[in-house]
Amino acid sequence: MQKSFNLYHNLGFWFLSLIVLLFTGFYTSYFSVFFQPKAGLIHVHFTLEVLWMAMLITQPFLIKYKQRAIHKTVGKI
């Protein structure tokens, strides 16, 4: 019997690679001028984006390691 290939098995690791892409994309406009004065809304936007990315990365790992109850709770949040 041939084992089926699950494309989503390592999806969390692929999403982890997005961190590098986002850092390079926002380096000149956010990270390189981090300590210069700017509107607080920019920091709120960045914080929400980081939380969203954390959820995006966490969810596939919760499914992979069979933590469905936590996965559902995080999804509802």
Side-chain angles (χ1 to χ4, degrees):
M1 178 186 275
Q2 185 179 8
K3 188 174 181 180
S4 65
F5 178 72
N6 186 352
L7 181 65
Y8 301 109
H9 183 70
N10 292 319
L11 190 61
F13 293 110
W14 286 103
F15 286 151
L16 277 172
S17 67
L18 287 176
I19 292 173
V20 175
L21 183 66
L22 288 171
F23 182 79
T24 56
F26 287 104
Y27 180 77
T28 58
S29 64
Y30 187 76
F31 295 112
S32 66
V33 293
F34 186 75
F35 294 108
Q36 295 178 0
K38 53 179 123 356
L41 187 60
I42 292 173
H43 295 298
V44 171
H45 182 263
F46 175 75
T47 303
L48 291 174
E49 185 265 333
V50 167
L51 291 173
W52 185 83
M53 285 298 298
M55 186 178 70
L56 180 75
I57 293 167
T58 303
Q59 290 288 66
F61 285 119
L62 290 173
I63 290 295
K64 181 177 182 176
Y65 296 114
K66 299 184 179 20
Q67 301 292 322
R68 293 191 189 270
I70 301 171
H71 171 82
K72 287 182 180 182
T73 303
V74 170
K76 289 177 183 176
I77 291 172

